């Protein structure tokens, strides 16, 4: 079956694959038609800048029209702009064609509910079922939908962000900012927003060619060009997005790239000092979040890994801020969705209120040394590992929200089966670099006991 191909992953969170290998128009048409069949009515379609999107947008639109949907083509825009427009327009849903932080050969479809959130896992499973069982009623000649164009998504997104930050205060600072959108969808929004916020803006990699000048994941290793630009232009800060701009990473003045874990930590600190409340993040996001929340006497809830689990918990529990350590900030006053553009504006607002530079703000945050490893998952018996952990550790030191998380005096270790690769990921943190190394070795040895 095509969906078992290693170049294609179909799951409750959508479909992703390598273009022309596993991800071909046939699959895209099938899934988009299943979505049209379930949602019906008005559906918004937006996409990032990938070279494969010209092909896939017609496949998606054709599938939706053929199930009787009315399609609004939003053009190239960030994922959070599509999510916001779905909610605003009262549409029945949205489809985003984006490979997000993945390299250019990848692409994916993400499906949006009428409230602007991604499909909940149970809804995603239903979609896959409809697709696999081919339960689609194709429209006859007189039941086919119509397609309209709407180019206002980016403008609306910018307007909403401007309402939520202190524009005058940011303008008063005349910040010098470098933006690297990796030639992704962020190219059409963040430079415009920065200009409106009165920043002297230096754009690098802000054209929509679909050719990515570096790997798109916004992590320090991929931000060398931005580091140089921040240094050369003597900028106050540099911002980097992934291709659909739901994520944001920073380069501080002088040209130092900081871990993407700092994005959520900084925004959380800024939001909590203005409006204390619940913070929601996933189990493997940095402990910095708990330390910051504690300063303001605020509770933290941790969910499974995956932005939909965070969004859903934030909505259900009334969180004031949340997100993931990969640079994905969810600010509920705009939407329950990761939004790298909103995060950028919040950070400028934070910088405008502080007397210090961004690097001194960062250096005052609690510091953790983080480690990451992975081992082949088909070799690991996770059930047995879990049983053994409960024998070895008291129950308040282990957590099974998603995989296993174990707390030690020196730090923590988290192990979970990856949703995208056949591996168990091991992530952890400690305050001291030597302790981090010890914990990392402990985890590798421990998992080895349960491997065969
Ligand atoms: Mg993304």
């Amino acid at each position: 079956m095509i969906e078992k191909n290693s170049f294609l992953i179909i799951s409750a969170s959508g479909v992703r694959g390598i273009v022309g290998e596993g991800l071909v128009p046939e699959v895209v048409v099938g899934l988009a038609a299943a979505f049209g069949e379930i949602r019906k009515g008005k559906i918004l379609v937006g996409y990032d800048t990938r070279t494969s999107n010209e092909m896939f947008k017609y496949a998606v639109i054709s599938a939706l029209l053929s199930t009787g949907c009315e399609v609004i083509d939003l053009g190239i825009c960030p994922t959070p702009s599509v999510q916001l427009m779905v909610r605003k327009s009262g549409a029945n849903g949205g489809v985003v064609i984006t490979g997000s932080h993945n390299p250019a050969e990848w692409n994916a479809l993400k499906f949006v509910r009428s409230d602007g959130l991604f499909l909940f896992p149970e809804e995603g499973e239903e979609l896959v079922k409809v697709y696999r069982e081919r339960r689609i009623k194709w429209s006859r000649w007189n039941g086919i939908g119509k397609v309209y164009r709407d180019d206002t998504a980016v403008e609306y997104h910018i307007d909403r962000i401007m309402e939520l930050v202190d524009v005058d205060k940011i303008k008063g600072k005349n910040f010098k900012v470098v933006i690297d959108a990796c030639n992704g969808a962020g190219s059409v929004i963040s430079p415009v927003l920065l200009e409106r916020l009165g920043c002297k803006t230096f754009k690098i990699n802000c054209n929509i060619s679909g050719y990515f000048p570096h790997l798109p994941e916004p992590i320090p290793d991929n931000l060398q060009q931005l580091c140089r630009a921040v240094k050369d232009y003597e900028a106050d800060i540099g911002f980097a997005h992934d291709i659909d701009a739901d994520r944001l990473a920073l380069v501080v003045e002088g040209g130092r790239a900081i871990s993407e874990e700092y994005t959520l930590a900084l925004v959380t600190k800024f939001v909590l000092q203005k409006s204390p409340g619940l913070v929601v993040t996933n189990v493997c996001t940095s402990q910095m979040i708990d330390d910051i929340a504690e300063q303001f006497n605020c509770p933290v809830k941790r969910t499974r890994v995956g932005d939909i689990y965070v969004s859903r918990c934030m909505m259900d529990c009334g969180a004031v801020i949340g997100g993931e350590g990969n640079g994905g900030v969810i600010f509920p006053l705009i939407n329950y969705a990761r939004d790298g553009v909103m995060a950028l504006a919040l950070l400028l607002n934070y910088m405008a209120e502080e007397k210090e530079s961004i690097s001194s703000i960062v250096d005052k945050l609690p510091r953790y040394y983080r480690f990451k490893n992975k081992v082949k998952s088909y070799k690991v018996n996770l059930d047995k590992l879990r049983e053994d952990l409960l024998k070895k550790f008291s129950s308040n030191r282990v957590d099974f929200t998603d995989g296993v998380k174990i707390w030690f005096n020196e730090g923590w270790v988290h192990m979970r089966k990856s949703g995208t690769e056949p591996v168990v990921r091991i992530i952890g943190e400690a305050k001291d670099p030597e302790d981090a190394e010890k914990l990392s070795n402990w985890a590798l040895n421990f998992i080895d006991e349960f491997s065969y």
Side-chain angles (χ1 to χ4, degrees), residues 322-342:
E324 299 179 301
N326 57 15
V329 173
I330 302 171
F331 185 53
L333 290 185
I334 185 151
N335 208 2
Y336 288 99
R338 292 193 303 198
D339 188 339
V341 192
M342 182 75 238

Side-chain angles (χ1 to χ4, degrees), residues 79 98 100-101 242-247 338:
T79 298
T98 173
S100 190
H101 59 280
D242 65 337
I243 304 303
D244 66 334
D246 61 343
R247 281 161 68 167
R338 292 193 303 198

